[in-house]
Amino acid sequence: MRLIFAGTPEFARAALERLLAAGFEVPLVLTQPDRPAGRGMKLQPSPVKQLALERGLPVAQPRSLRLDGKYPGDAAAARASMEAAAADVMVVAAYGLILPQWVLDLPRLGCLNIHASLLPRWRGAAPIHRAIEAGDAHTGITIMQMDAGLDTGAMLLKETLAIAATDTTGSLHDRLAPLGGRLIVEALELAACGGLRAEPQPEAGVTYAHKIDKAEAAIDWRAPAAAIERRLRAFDPFPGATASLGGEPLKVWRGEVAAGAAPAEPGTVLAADASGVLIACGEGALRCTELQRAGGKRLAAGDFLRGFPVTAGMRCAVT
């Protein structure tokens, strides 16, 4: 079976690696254009492009696939490459571009998407983040037949994964990525022998995982401590949860809900020692156990306090 692979981040790289290991022929890889990154803001290839180049696979990086859009030349060149690839199927994993109808119709078996949630819950761009933020007990991978809607296509395979109380987006991603790779291989093997069965998504239970906005990073200390703790984990490693203490911007990476803390105005520091910086919230209090100053490193609370003295009564800005 010949397949076109479309993906960009590390989540997609894991799937491509698994497909290549399983022996699938990949005559074309689509990925996002190189982006500036790092201190020097030099152009960096995506994880998928890096793997494709290592394996000698042809790569296309169109800025758009819309023939009537802003970059029709990119789209036309991509279409020519895709037609020449003569693929049976296209596998999509966190690609980052909208697929117009001509792309969906091109391969004989259509386009299959590796989606990091149990559809129809958490359709959209940030399913791992939003599942943690919402306090879901489970998530998983759905292999979906793509259609013109936003993650609305029929489900082909699905597997559940428990979300641990300590999971961050980073740690959960690292467990979901190999699961996605395994399931897409299973799906393609079933498709090759006609054993793949499609199940329409139910109308009940639809939620949307909207793209993470950097503006969401600011901690609202008026929220319940439990909700803030989940957001810390959901926003680790990106974009991080931010606060302002004593006029200095900080990131708070880890925290735990503290029971029995005396009530106080949200954002008030109740105590600060090696166990953490205890801050009053709209409901309960949060003991911040890993923090970071601007330009500094992530530090355990005890190490952080040696360079940034914090005392009871100080206030975090409440936005």
Side-chain angles (χ1 to χ4, degrees), residues 172-190:
L172 189 54
H173 165 280
D174 291 349
R175 292 192 289 128
L176 284 167
L179 176 58
R182 175 168 64 79
L183 282 189
I184 191 61
V185 168
E186 290 180 16
L188 293 175
E189 289 174 344
L190 285 169

Side-chain angles (χ1 to χ4, degrees), residues 179-258:
L179 176 58
R182 175 168 64 79
L183 282 189
I184 191 61
V185 168
E186 290 180 16
L188 293 175
E189 289 174 344
L190 285 169
C193 63
L196 202 55
R197 297 290 178 263
E199 176 188 350
Q201 292 188 38
E203 294 183 7
V206 174
T207 58
Y208 289 92
H210 298 288
K211 183 178 180 181
I212 301 297
D213 190 318
K214 285 187 177 181
E216 297 180 75
I219 298 172
D220 183 357
W221 297 103
R222 295 166 296 189
I228 297 173
E229 188 275 335
R230 292 196 302 269
R231 180 165 281 203
L232 299 187
R233 293 188 288 110
F235 287 11
D236 181 359
F238 175 84
T242 61
S244 177
L245 179 59
E248 180 164 347
L250 307 171
K251 283 193 174 182
V252 182
W253 291 105
R254 295 290 174 92
E256 54 190 35
V257 177

Side-chain angles (χ1 to χ4, degrees), residues 3 7 10-11 28 36 42 66 103 108 124 152-153 165 171 180 193 196 203 210 223 237-238 260 263 274 285 301 309:
L3 63 91
E10 194 61 43
F11 179 85
L28 180 64
K42 294 181 180 179
R66 291 178 57 90
V103 176
R108 177 175 61 86
T152 56
S171 66
C193 63
L196 202 55
E203 294 183 7
H210 298 288
F238 175 84

Side-chain angles (χ1 to χ4, degrees), residues 6-18:
T8 299
E10 194 61 43
F11 179 85
R13 177 188 170 116
L16 178 56
E17 205 156 25
R18 188 68 179 255

Side-chain angles (χ1 to χ4, degrees), residues 27-32 48-50 52-53 57-62 81:
L28 180 64
V29 172
L30 299 179
T31 191
Q32 287 272 341
V48 163
K49 181 179 178 180
Q50 292 175 34
L53 294 178
L57 304 177
V59 176
Q61 297 177 273
S81 297

Side-chain angles (χ1 to χ4, degrees), residues 115 117-124 142 144 150-153 155 158 199-209:
H115 189 76
S117 82
L118 299 174
L119 291 171
R121 187 162 177 80
W122 302 127
R123 295 173 179 172
T142 304
M144 177 191 71
L150 177 62
D151 298 329
T152 56
M155 301 177 294
K158 185 186 287 191
E199 176 188 350
Q201 292 188 38
E203 294 183 7
V206 174
T207 58
Y208 289 92

